[in-house]
Amino acid sequence: MAFKSDLKQLLKPYYWLNIMLSLSYVIAKRTYLTCEFLFPNADCELDSRETEILFFLIIVVMLRTRKAGSVTMVNYLSSSFVYTKIANLILWFYADVRYGIPYGAILILSALLLPEPTYSGPELVTYFRGAQVFEDELKHHKNTTWIVCLYAAWHPACVNFAPVFSELSASYSLENFKFGKIDVGRYPEAATKYRVQDGPTSRQLPTLLLFSEGQEKARKPHADHTGKLQKFLFSKDNIKAAFNIDGIYEECKSKLAAKSKKTEKVE
């Protein structure tokens, strides 16, 4: 099912265009007709400097997408596009500044006219405007269990994780088991309160917090006894297992049923 969903997602123009932009230089240099037209005085082979740039690109893409928690083909591509397009921009400028400028203009136009498709499925997520608003919610409804995602809209790992969190909220939300999000990019005081680094190189974005009876009970990723941050892969199955979401759901559901029976007896 996930593979079919990925293939359907890849049919969208955004992915086709970005794949072409990411492979544009190699295709142009290795295809005889385009090579003869664009590089008339050069061999249709990648020279040592171009090979070094591409090899460095492969290493960067592997490291960055791994840190971003890319677990599907679409997520992997989305995370790598920014690096592959920058590498192609460098290669086009390296070949000829007259090629680099138009390529850069195409990148800007494509970003403005064809943004990355966002998740459009169902979700039951409450978006809090800062940590204090959420703390007030905890004080007034202590019997509600919350899973809260601290995220930044500009962070690749948070973008990749958004559909997973939305799907979980749609599947498990109850009157006393809810899902929330706080944008630490807009509300940095939330990052400070919950001890999460919110910089561009942060390995703590996204962070999931489990609150029960008004208190934090668990978080992912978390630090071990030495203070070292433990890596966590934000897949749906990992989250369900780490937070025992199925167990919490059944427990909260039982409490609702008991509350309903009690109300019926009183009436």
Side-chain angles (χ1 to χ4, degrees):
M1 289 296 292
F3 182 71
K4 290 182 179 179
S5 177
D6 280 352
L7 289 179
K8 184 178 180 180
Q9 186 82 346
L10 287 175
L11 293 176
K12 296 181 178 179
Y14 168 84
Y15 295 99
W16 281 102
L17 177 60
N18 279 275
I19 289 171
M20 290 174 62
L21 291 173
S22 299
L23 300 175
S24 60
Y25 188 83
V26 174
I27 293 174
K29 195 71 182 286
R30 295 290 293 159
T31 304
Y32 179 77
L33 291 178
T34 55
C35 179
E36 285 293 309
F37 178 73
L38 296 174
F39 313 101
N41 299 319
D43 295 330
C44 295
E45 299 286 344
L46 297 174
D47 62 28
S48 58
R49 179 60 61 85
E50 292 167 339
T51 303
E52 287 175 4
I53 293 173
L54 290 173
F55 184 72
F56 180 72
L57 167 67
I58 292 172
I59 295 174
V60 170
V61 168
M62 290 178 65
L63 290 176
R64 296 304 300 175
T65 51
R66 187 176 180 182
K67 286 182 180 180
S70 303
V71 294
T72 67
M73 179 169 55
V74 171
N75 286 348
Y76 194 90
L77 284 174
S78 296
S79 299
S80 64
F81 280 151
V82 62
Y83 307 108
T84 55
K85 289 187 289 188
I86 290 174
N88 273 267
L89 182 62
I90 294 171
L91 288 168
W92 282 115
F93 268 108
Y94 172 72
D96 194 320
V97 68
R98 294 173 298 175
Y99 298 155
I101 292 175
Y103 181 81
I106 292 172
L107 292 185
I108 295 172
L109 286 174
S110 65
L112 293 174
L113 300 178
L114 198 64
E116 182 176 358
T118 57
Y119 176 76
S120 58
E123 70 169 25
L124 292 171
V125 177
T126 302
Y127 290 84
F128 292 99
R129 296 184 175 181
Q132 189 56 51
V133 178
F134 175 61
E135 290 295 323
D136 291 342
E137 175 67 24
L138 287 178
K139 290 177 183 178
H140 289 96
H141 301 91
K142 289 186 177 181
N143 293 328
T144 300
T145 298
W146 282 91
I147 291 184
V148 177
C149 175
L150 304 182
Y151 76 105
W154 44 262
H155 199 283
C158 297
V159 174
N160 290 338
F161 177 59
V164 176
F165 193 73
S166 294
E167 290 172 16
L168 286 170
S169 73
S171 300
Y172 289 95
S173 286
L174 294 169
E175 183 182 334
N176 57 350
F177 183 27
K178 298 181 179 181
F179 293 74
K181 296 182 81 171
I182 304 175
D183 186 348
V184 297
R186 294 181 62 187
Y187 308 104
E189 76 282 356
T192 302
K193 180 174 180 59
Y194 297 115
R195 308 179 306 282
V196 172
Q197 294 180 358
D198 58 349
T201 60
S202 174
R203 297 175 59 195
Q204 291 181 280
L205 292 177
T207 286
L208 284 186
L209 305 174
L210 172 65
F211 289 88
S212 180
E213 299 177 350
Q215 300 295 322
E216 180 184 329
K217 301 296 184 180
R219 71 164 59 199
K220 295 292 180 182
H222 70 286
D224 61 17
H225 66 282
T226 65
K228 182 179 179 181
L229 194 68
Q230 299 298 295
K231 184 178 178 181
F232 183 76
L233 192 61
F234 284 89
S235 68
K236 188 185 296 185
D237 289 338
N238 282 355
I239 294 167
K240 289 169 65 175
F243 291 95
N244 187 28
I245 288 182
D246 287 315
I248 294 174
Y249 177 80
E250 291 301 328
E251 181 181 351
C252 290
K253 196 174 180 180
S254 298
K255 289 180 180 178
L256 286 177
K259 182 179 178 181
S260 178
K261 289 181 180 179
K262 186 177 181 180
T263 302
E264 290 177 358
K265 289 181 180 179
V266 171
E267 291 178 353

